[in-house]
Amino acid sequence: MFPRPIPKIHVSFEDPDGKGYEAFEATYKEIEDLLLPKVKAFFEVKKEVSNSDEGVDIKFSGFVTKEKIETMVNNCKSGQCECMSDTTKAKITDMHVSGENGNVKLALSGDISEDDIKEAKSYQQIKNKNSSKWLCSMRGNILSGIVVTLALIPEAIAFSIIAGS
């Protein structure tokens, strides 16, 4: 069904159902302390920028696909991205993507330096400050998803009992 194995993050929590409010608070605290750091680490993309003889190399590791970096490069080449200023883009003569999922290298050729990339990163952060609210409140969104999932379990059980009769 899936084209490749799907990684799983599993953390067990004691079911607070039928217990007092304190049990729900304790489970909430466990989710914050145990699950959220694992989810954040799983989805983290690390970037290592360094100068090279031809320009700059950016090494991406973690939750990154080669296809996503290639798409980003194609968008940049066609002028569809706003990841850096036009001045910085003009310094780049070529972009080459290599590696494999989880460990991708982007080689930028031209009169570009590591400092230009750091400047582009801050430019992008200012430009995208309000564009991605989901990651800004990742904790709240994950906890909301867990609550909704847990709330639907009794409904699913009730439906299966009714449907099975």
Side-chain angles (χ1 to χ4, degrees):
M1 182 170 182
F2 295 106
R4 62 179 193 264
I6 304 298
K8 296 172 187 75
I9 300 173
H10 179 78
V11 179
S12 297
F13 301 102
E14 187 177 337
D15 185 4
D17 187 38
K19 299 177 183 163
Y21 181 73
E22 295 78 22
F24 283 91
E25 282 185 326
T27 302
Y28 178 86
K29 179 92 171 102
E30 284 183 46
I31 290 170
E32 274 188 320
D33 295 344
L34 300 174
L35 180 62
L36 291 182
K38 289 184 180 191
V39 171
K40 187 176 181 180
F42 178 79
F43 286 111
E44 184 177 35
V45 175
K46 295 177 182 137
K47 299 173 199 150
E48 182 183 317
V49 181
S50 60
N51 288 318
S52 69
D53 294 339
E54 294 82 29
V56 173
D57 290 338
I58 306 171
K59 295 177 185 172
F60 299 91
S61 61
F63 193 74
V64 63
T65 63
K66 185 175 180 182
E67 180 182 359
K68 182 170 181 142
I69 302 300
E70 287 172 340
T71 301
M72 182 181 74
V73 166
N74 290 334
N75 288 341
C76 195
K77 285 180 178 178
S78 65
Q80 295 176 339
C81 77
E82 296 180 354
C83 61
M84 59 184 80
S85 67
D86 292 335
T87 309
T88 305
K89 284 182 189 178
K91 293 180 179 182
I92 300 172
T93 56
D94 190 33
M95 296 183 233
H96 177 73
V97 180
S98 62
E100 56 190 31
N101 292 344
N103 191 18
V104 182
K105 178 182 169 186
L106 171 59
L108 304 174
S109 302
D111 186 29
I112 188 159
S113 69
E114 187 176 342
D115 292 334
D116 292 326
I117 298 302
K118 288 178 182 175
E119 181 182 316
K121 185 178 176 185
S122 64
Y123 174 83
Q124 185 179 15
Q125 287 173 342
I126 292 168
K127 194 98 171 145
N128 296 331
K129 190 172 186 179
N130 295 319
S131 66
S132 179
K133 296 280 187 187
W134 191 89
L135 290 176
C136 294
S137 62
M138 181 188 259
R139 177 178 150 252
N141 287 324
I142 289 174
L143 289 174
S144 297
I146 290 170
V147 168
V148 169
T149 302
L150 293 175
L152 290 174
I153 291 172
E155 183 180 339
I157 292 171
F159 180 77
S160 66
I161 290 171
I162 292 170
S165 305

